[in-house]
Amino acid sequence: MREKGLKNIRLLIQYDGTDYAGWQRQRNLPTIQGVLEDAIRKITGEDIHIHGAGRTDAGVHAIAQVANFYTKSALTPHELKRAINAHLPEDIVIAAAEEVPPEFHARKDAKRKVYLYVILHRDFPSPIWRRYSWWVRWSLDIDLMKKASDLLRGTHDFSSFTNTGRSSLSTVRTIYRAELIQKKSGFLLFEIEADGFLKQMVRVIVGTLVEVGRGRMDIDRFSLLLRKKERRLAGPTAPARGLFLKEVKY
Amino acid sequence: MREKGLKNIRLLIQYDGTDYAGWQRQRNLPTIQGVLEDAIRKITGEDIHIHGAGRTDAGVHAIAQVANFYTKSALTPHELKRAINAHLPEDIVIAAAEEVPPEFHARKDAKRKVYLYVILHRDFPSPIWRRYSWWVRWSLDIDLMKKASDLLRGTHDFSSFTNTGRSSLSTVRTIYRAELIQKKSGFLLFEIEADGFLKQMVRVIVGTLVEVGRGRMDIDRFSLLLRKKERRLAGPTAPARGLFLKEVKY
């Protein structure tokens, strides 16, 4: 990988995931990684491969996905950014590009990730936010949801909060921050920061918090989920459209 | 119009105008009014006609368009709202419906309207906001733009700030408020409140403010535009995608 003259380029990427089958390249399906690699290959003429910090699922968005790739291109990072953007569709954008040390790896070096989940809580949906939020019209006990969020902090086995297809051996993760913020506009913003996330973990957590808010699950049972390891005890998976990869920390 | 048993229903409407040829019904083109009338006709079986407060142009959005229509339907306003929403596409939503006195007319009774224009000012576009903002990457003197905005307040002849196809006899309008707010996220929000607006007036004002910000027009010349009546002296028309009808006051 580290041939002489190869530069390691780190990208900061934003995307609207609505029309994609997720980050990871798949044969015959539009994916973020696939579209990005095709765009970069057109520019550099190399058979490049990009490493993303997180494999977002189908329909999930990113405000700040991080990825890196190696190239022999003579273009500066700024020129690469401009050129790649010119080859991308409107729903994927390079926000920044910079050269980094050869050993930097977007996925392996990621220390923490921050996800944002947007719930629109009111009695009619939003035409503007329809692709970027989960419209919930049930009445919700927000204070109870906040109490449940608080319980997430710390190191737990999150087996109850993940869907099958687990990609890692350990199901233990450390949550540094989990907050639910109520905006007067009807938006409920859930932000969660951890050393890593299991498959669909944020969406199962949000789906379960809404069960708590609706009064269909009490705080004790929510707390129990963090000790039990049974997915069937948790709530439904919240829709992908409300989820944003907000930050990757190194 | 005011047959016995007719109820006058006032609607509060939100829409994503991207895929529409504007508010006003047109033969063979998708319009907000057309889609709304078709939805309501399906529910009530009547040949209803709706009056909108403002005829937004192609691609312009609404956070709170107001309209009214007369119906003999036995449904309550709340039931009508639910039923109409069930017949609307995702990009048009009834936020509220209520019965109002028979003499209420959404357009004729409107005292003031508030429009919001969203500029995204940074060096890369946004995949999330691409349908709802004008991406501007020129460097801008925001303070100068604010000074120019301040000059708009008051009663002026806005002939310089409108495109052909004027729908009203007088081109004099009173601006009660015109402010440019800079958000740290890179958004520039321009809000303007007036007793009425000429065709594409907000978009020509915004296009001209950006000329001022770029240093291509000085404050004196901007000020002159409010006394002269020459469209060719003003700036270009800002794109429809950044414009929202935010409020109608009665």
Side-chain angles (χ1 to χ4, degrees):
Chain A
M1 208 53 160
R2 311 229 182 108
E3 278 177 64
K4 226 181 149 192
L6 268 186
K7 291 186 290 191
N8 190 6
I9 303 293
R10 169 180 157 151
L11 301 175
L12 192 67
I13 307 156
Q14 300 195 331
Y15 47 84
D16 174 345
T18 310
D19 297 330
Y20 295 92
W23 168 266
Q24 197 169 20
R25 187 182 263 280
Q26 293 179 56
R27 197 178 291 272
N28 299 325
L29 282 175
T31 66
I32 313 290
Q33 185 185 27
V35 169
L36 275 168
E37 287 179 348
D38 291 349
I40 299 171
R41 283 171 191 171
K42 267 184 205 148
I43 293 157
T44 71
E46 301 158 306
D47 184 26
I48 68 102
H49 178 78
I50 67 175
H51 308 281
R55 291 185 204 142
T56 53
D57 281 326
V60 173
H61 319 292
I63 299 171
Q65 169 76 284
V66 177
N68 74 297
F69 68 96
Y70 294 92
T71 179
K72 286 183 167 172
S73 170
L75 297 175
T76 65
H78 184 74
E79 288 165 343
L80 272 171
K81 172 186 155 181
R82 284 263 181 144
I84 301 170
N85 277 339
H87 281 80
L88 288 175
E90 270 195 322
D91 50 9
I92 306 179
V93 172
I94 307 296
E98 56 173 332
E99 190 175 348
V100 287
E103 53 280 0
F104 174 80
H105 189 288
R107 182 170 50 79
K108 292 177 188 160
D109 293 348
K111 293 280 181 293
R112 297 182 179 197
K113 281 178 204 147
V114 181
Y115 277 93
L116 165 68
Y117 196 97
V118 181
I119 295 173
L120 178 61
H121 183 225
R122 65 181 192 191
D123 77 335
F124 56 95
S126 166
I128 306 296
W129 286 92
R130 69 190 193 278
R131 294 159 71 102
Y132 312 114
S133 63
W134 178 23
W135 173 47
V136 166
R137 59 170 147 178
W138 304 299
S139 89
L140 296 174
D141 183 332
I142 310 287
D143 286 333
L144 213 55
M145 291 172 74
K146 286 183 177 176
K147 270 183 198 136
S149 298
D150 287 343
L151 296 174
L152 293 165
R153 233 175 302 137
T155 302
H156 311 280
D157 185 314
F158 282 93
S159 300
S160 297
F161 292 99
T162 184
N163 289 324
T164 48
R166 143 185 11 154
S167 54
S168 43
L169 294 172
S170 166
T171 48
V172 173
R173 293 291 182 277
T174 298
I175 311 285
Y176 301 104
R177 189 164 57 92
E179 9 173 31
L180 186 73
I181 300 150
Q182 187 173 20
K183 298 283 186 179
K184 60 180 176 189
S185 48
F187 286 101
L188 282 173
L189 307 181
F190 178 70
E191 251 191 63
I192 185 165
E193 176 170 345
D195 57 356
F197 292 90
L198 306 175
K199 189 173 169 63
Q200 300 184 343
M201 181 171 144
V202 183
R203 292 164 57 192
V204 179
I205 287 174
V206 169
T208 309
L209 286 175
V210 167
E211 291 292 288
V212 170
R214 294 176 69 184
R216 289 157 58 113
M217 181 185 298
D218 63 27
I219 282 281
D220 289 342
R221 183 145 151 243
F222 186 88
S223 170
L224 195 71
L225 286 173
L226 292 166
R227 298 192 301 276
K228 292 265 179 182
K229 301 177 185 182
E230 292 190 48
R231 171 64 183 94
R232 64 178 184 81
L233 296 178
T237 307
R241 55 175 57 193
L243 187 60
F244 293 78
L245 173 54
K246 195 185 169 192
E247 197 182 348
V248 184
K249 296 184 176 181
Y250 291 93
Chain B
M1 208 52 161
R2 310 225 183 115
E3 278 176 65
K4 227 183 150 190
L6 268 186
K7 289 185 289 190
N8 190 6
I9 303 293
R10 169 179 158 150
L11 302 174
L12 192 69
I13 307 156
Q14 300 195 332
Y15 48 84
D16 173 345
T18 310
D19 298 329
Y20 295 92
W23 168 266
Q24 197 169 20
R25 187 182 263 279
Q26 293 180 56
R27 198 178 291 272
N28 299 326
L29 283 175
T31 66
I32 313 291
Q33 185 186 26
V35 168
L36 276 168
E37 287 180 346
D38 292 348
I40 299 170
R41 284 170 191 172
K42 268 184 204 147
I43 293 157
T44 70
E46 301 158 305
D47 183 26
I48 68 103
H49 178 77
I50 67 175
H51 308 280
R55 291 185 205 140
T56 54
D57 280 326
V60 174
H61 318 291
I63 300 170
Q65 169 76 283
V66 177
N68 74 297
F69 68 97
Y70 294 92
T71 178
K72 287 184 166 172
S73 170
L75 296 175
T76 66
H78 185 73
E79 287 165 344
L80 273 171
K81 171 186 157 182
R82 285 264 181 144
I84 301 170
N85 276 338
H87 281 80
L88 287 175
E90 270 194 322
D91 50 9
I92 306 179
V93 172
I94 307 296
E98 56 173 332
E99 190 176 347
V100 287
E103 53 281 0
F104 173 80
H105 190 288
R107 181 170 50 78
K108 293 177 190 163
D109 293 348
K111 295 277 182 293
R112 296 181 179 197
K113 282 179 203 145
V114 182
Y115 276 92
L116 165 70
Y117 196 97
V118 181
I119 294 173
L120 178 61
H121 182 225
R122 65 181 192 191
D123 77 334
F124 57 95
S126 166
I128 307 296
W129 286 92
R130 69 191 193 278
R131 293 159 72 101
Y132 311 115
S133 62
W134 178 23
W135 172 46
V136 165
R137 57 171 149 176
W138 303 300
S139 89
L140 296 175
D141 183 332
I142 310 288
D143 287 332
L144 214 54
M145 291 172 73
K146 286 183 178 177
K147 269 182 201 139
S149 298
D150 287 343
L151 297 174
L152 293 165
R153 234 174 302 137
T155 302
H156 311 279
D157 186 316
F158 283 94
S159 299
S160 297
F161 292 99
T162 184
N163 290 324
T164 49
R166 132 176 32 142
S167 55
S168 42
L169 295 172
S170 166
T171 48
V172 173
R173 294 291 183 277
T174 298
I175 310 286
Y176 301 103
R177 189 165 56 92
E179 357 171 45
L180 187 73
I181 300 150
Q182 185 173 23
K183 298 282 187 180
K184 59 178 177 197
S185 49
F187 286 100
L188 283 173
L189 307 182
F190 178 70
E191 252 191 62
I192 185 164
E193 178 170 346
D195 58 356
F197 292 90
L198 305 176
K199 189 171 169 64
Q200 302 186 340
M201 180 171 144
V202 183
R203 291 164 59 194
V204 179
I205 288 174
V206 169
T208 310
L209 286 175
V210 167
E211 291 291 288
V212 170
R214 292 176 71 185
R216 290 157 57 112
M217 181 185 299
D218 63 27
I219 282 281
D220 289 341
R221 182 144 154 243
F222 185 87
S223 172
L224 195 71
L225 287 172
L226 292 166
R227 297 191 302 273
K228 292 264 180 184
K229 302 178 184 183
E230 293 191 48
R231 172 64 184 92
R232 63 177 186 80
L233 297 178
T237 307
R241 55 175 58 195
L243 187 60
F244 293 78
L245 173 53
K246 195 185 171 195
E247 198 183 347
V248 184
K249 297 184 176 180
Y250 291 93

